[in-house]
Amino acid sequence: MAYIGTWPSTIGFRTVNFRAVSSTKQTTTQSGRRVRVSTAGTRFSSTIQYPQMALSSFKPIQAVATQLQGPLNSFDIVLPSISENQSGVTGTTALVNGTNNAGSSTVNLTTNKNSTTIAKAGDVIRFPSHNKVYMLTADATTDGSGAVSVAITPNLIEAEVGDGSTAVTLDDVPFRMTLSRDIQEYKYATDGTVSYEIDIIEEV
């Protein structure tokens, strides 16, 4: 499998259905008590529908979809509203501070913004050393020196170590995705327009 680049953004989406996929095994004891165990961390998925578009606009999208070979290869995609930072703060540079172990529900950052809410609960974030996207579970407000401990879900899937130079992505956060299905269907209308939607899921 290979990473092929960024999904085309020349045509905007009409709708984006966003999902958090969490695998939980549930069993019920003889007394009726339910036992629940997480079997895998949360992944994000989406169904994206395009507006009816001209054939000339659609062909480059079709080329990328075909190059992906179903779920084989991956790509980055910025999802409207979901990838956007709610804080309204511009020019934030955030770096991972120290070593943050796999399994941790918080990540320590140092930023260039003092006593500022740089991201809010429900915003997403992507760290430099791996491609998983995480969601904030609380507002991230820096202290007087620009430091902040960011609360995330799911927990870190691998250790995150700051290198002092590579910034965390806090806005227009790209999701590393694959197509969910082997078959892609394109609806060509007789008026020369095309309808298309994609089902995608995060690559972890």
Side-chain angles (χ1 to χ4, degrees):
M1 63 181 184
Y3 168 68
I4 68 162
T6 302
W7 186 263
S9 59
T10 51
I11 301 294
F13 308 131
R14 187 170 76 177
T15 60
V16 177
N17 296 332
F18 186 64
R19 296 177 291 270
V21 182
S22 302
S23 299
T24 302
K25 181 180 180 180
Q26 302 185 64
T27 57
T28 304
T29 66
Q30 191 171 5
S31 66
R33 183 171 67 92
R34 277 196 309 150
V35 179
R36 301 177 300 281
V37 178
S38 176
T39 58
T42 299
R43 292 193 297 168
F44 299 110
S45 70
S46 187
T47 298
I48 297 172
Q49 188 177 61
Y50 279 95
Q52 200 88 354
M53 67 188 108
L55 183 61
S56 58
S57 298
F58 174 66
K59 285 291 190 176
I61 297 171
Q62 181 176 261
V64 172
T66 305
Q67 184 183 3
L68 287 168
Q69 300 181 61
L72 180 63
N73 298 313
S74 62
F75 59 95
D76 278 349
I77 187 168
V78 174
L79 299 176
S81 299
I82 298 152
S83 292
E84 297 166 11
N85 184 292
Q86 301 175 76
S87 70
V89 177
T90 59
T92 301
T93 300
L95 302 173
V96 176
N97 184 13
T99 300
N100 299 264
N101 295 325
S104 176
S105 61
T106 58
V107 176
N108 297 316
L109 306 179
T110 55
T111 78
N112 62 338
K113 302 290 183 181
N114 298 340
S115 304
T116 302
T117 298
I118 60 169
K120 295 185 176 182
D123 284 343
V124 292
I125 187 171
R126 184 163 152 179
F127 301 110
S129 71
H130 59 285
N131 297 317
K132 178 78 181 82
V133 170
Y134 300 87
M135 184 171 288
L136 272 66
T137 58
D139 291 356
T141 302
T142 62
D143 64 16
S145 64
V148 61
S149 182
V150 178
I152 58 168
T153 189
N155 294 354
L156 279 176
I157 63 170
E158 57 186 85
E160 187 62 43
V161 181
D163 64 3
S165 61
T166 308
V168 169
T169 306
L170 291 167
D171 195 16
D172 292 332
V173 177
F175 288 77
R176 180 64 55 88
M177 295 285 203
T178 67
L179 296 175
S180 299
R181 297 180 294 174
D182 290 331
I183 298 173
Q184 295 299 299
E185 184 175 349
Y186 316 112
K187 186 177 180 181
Y188 284 79
T190 55
D191 64 358
T193 60
V194 183
S195 300
Y196 181 49
E197 71 175 33
I198 53 173
D199 290 312
I200 56 178
I201 190 163
E202 193 176 18
E203 179 184 65
V204 176

